[in-house]
Amino acid sequence: MALQSKHYDVVVIGAALVGASAALGLAKQGLRVALVDIKAPTSASADPAVWDSRIYAISPGNVDWLGQIGAWKHINQARVTSIDGMHVWADANSLPLSFDASDAHVENLGVILENGCLHQALWDELETLDVDVILNAQCAGIDFGMESADIRMINGSSLVAQLIVAADGGNSWVRSQAALGVQKQVYEHVGVVANFEVELPHQNVARQWFVEDGILAWLPLPGNRISMVWSTKDAQHLMQLSSEDLCQSVAQAGGFRLGAMKLITPPAAFPLVKQNASSMIANRLVLVGDAAHQVHPMAGQGVNLGFRDVVELLDVLSDRHPLADIGDRFVLRRYERARKTDVLAMQGLTHGLYGVFDSKQALVKTLREWGLALPNQLPGFKKQLMKHALI
């Protein structure tokens, strides 16, 4: 005998950062929401000496929004680092392109915090709401009907909703159930991440180098600590290095600007891709975050794009006619149209920069050094670049 069906306005599938934020925002609009995931979420470590290797740079706009939906107040501010400036070097160019928060008359250019810390904050706020959280649950299939969508679970139960939000990542199962294709490009580079203690104060400055072997970023963490992201073709070599040799390689690649380093989290590697779903919507379905699009992480905009997806979806649903069905395709088309410009602009920027800085041609190398030096001479142009980064 089949188990009972449960009915909701919205079922969000995928309980990572973007999915959890979507469930939170939708519930705060008064909708009946279920949040489903095949596994339990990652929570913040209770040990202050333990650091998460997954670090995010959150834009000021998204920090404000996380405050509006009630998540930010749960975050341990001792684990948050403001980005007061950013320096970017190209090849042998000794003068970096420099951004400073004071130049844009803002408090900071964004903040750095750990995945577990942010996830825990979203979870803490979710627990104050009437959201059905269904974890360690496996879906068997989805029937997208004209009036509703029916999610069939492995245990024989079903979840019926007017709208499904797919937030289940780049390899989205929900997307495949709707027969939506993807355009995907796998980069030659692989991302290597690790956290370090450093000898010299980082002064809350994010640093990035376009080095011979890819793109190296140092992001400030609380105290004398940094998070490293190295987009490189030589990831296998880096992963095989001893802790001491890895510290030496990372410090040397950054010109020893923060002195000696000590590894505090083991390195991890992940593939880098650019990907777009053939559509961000389908019948009774909307895609958010990596399920909809993925970008090169050099600008740290992946999770920010995902949060902006959720913000736009919430705006579209709240602005719809009171009698309009939240799963109506005409309503959802407004969301897709609104998000295309932002997503394509960010993908174009990161993909274009990747191509320019991966080039070994002498003329291209000269032009990119000139291109990084130019904004320092044009304060107005530099302010416009900063405004784009502050969304």
Side-chain angles (χ1 to χ4, degrees), residues 201-221:
H202 52 59
Q203 299 176 316
N204 288 44
V205 172
R207 295 168 171 83
Q208 191 168 55
W209 292 264
F210 293 93
V211 296
E212 198 69 28
D213 182 35
I215 305 161
L216 173 67
W218 293 355
L219 304 176
L221 293 176

Side-chain angles (χ1 to χ4, degrees), residues 15 125-126 134 224 288 318:
E125 186 64 14
L126 270 171
I134 306 169
N224 270 26
V288 296
S318 66

Side-chain angles (χ1 to χ4, degrees), residues 158-374:
S158 66
L159 310 175
V160 181
Q162 288 182 279
L163 176 65
I164 295 176
V165 176
D168 55 339
N171 296 317
S172 172
W173 173 83
V174 180
R175 187 182 63 218
S176 68
Q177 289 292 299
L180 293 176
V182 292
Q183 293 178 321
K184 183 175 183 177
Q185 177 177 347
V186 180
Y187 291 108
E188 290 184 54
H189 288 189
V190 170
V192 177
V193 297
N195 297 337
F196 300 85
E197 286 184 0
V198 293
E199 182 181 10
L200 304 175
H202 52 59
Q203 299 176 316
N204 288 44
V205 172
R207 295 168 171 83
Q208 191 168 55
W209 292 264
F210 293 93
V211 296
E212 198 69 28
D213 182 35
I215 305 161
L216 173 67
W218 293 355
L219 304 176
L221 293 176
N224 270 26
R225 304 180 186 90
I226 63 165
S227 175
M228 175 209 75
V229 184
W230 198 335
S231 167
T232 173
K233 294 178 182 177
D234 203 17
Q236 187 174 1
H237 169 70
L238 288 176
M239 294 294 293
Q240 292 174 343
L241 292 175
S242 66
S243 296
E244 293 77 13
D245 288 343
L246 179 62
C247 290
Q248 179 71 13
S249 294
V250 173
Q252 184 174 4
F256 296 99
R257 292 183 184 273
L258 295 181
M261 294 186 169
K262 177 185 176 184
L263 189 67
I264 57 175
T265 63
F270 58 95
L272 303 179
V273 302
K274 178 171 82 77
Q275 179 171 284
N276 282 313
S278 56
S279 174
M280 292 180 71
I281 66 168
N283 183 42
R284 302 270 161 205
L285 174 67
V286 63
L287 275 57
V288 296
D290 285 358
H293 44 69
Q294 289 179 274
V295 299
H296 191 287
M298 74 169 73
Q301 289 299 310
V303 74
N304 286 304
L305 278 178
F307 284 151
R308 293 206 292 273
D309 289 344
V310 176
V311 170
E312 187 62 45
L313 178 62
L314 294 173
D315 286 346
V316 165
L317 295 183
S318 66
D319 290 344
R320 77 188 190 282
H321 188 279
L323 299 179
D325 183 342
I326 60 171
D328 185 281
R329 200 166 186 134
F330 289 103
V331 173
L332 300 181
R333 277 177 181 162
R334 288 181 49 212
Y335 160 77
E336 183 174 48
R337 284 196 301 269
R339 291 303 300 138
K340 273 189 173 179
T341 300
D342 185 24
V343 171
L344 290 176
M346 185 54 62
Q347 286 187 326
L349 174 65
T350 56
H351 185 69
L353 285 173
Y354 172 84
V356 167
F357 286 97
D358 192 44
S359 175
K360 300 298 185 287
Q361 295 182 27
L363 176 60
V364 174
K365 292 173 75 172
T366 300
L367 287 174
R368 71 193 184 207
E369 290 184 14
W370 173 80
L372 281 184
L374 180 63

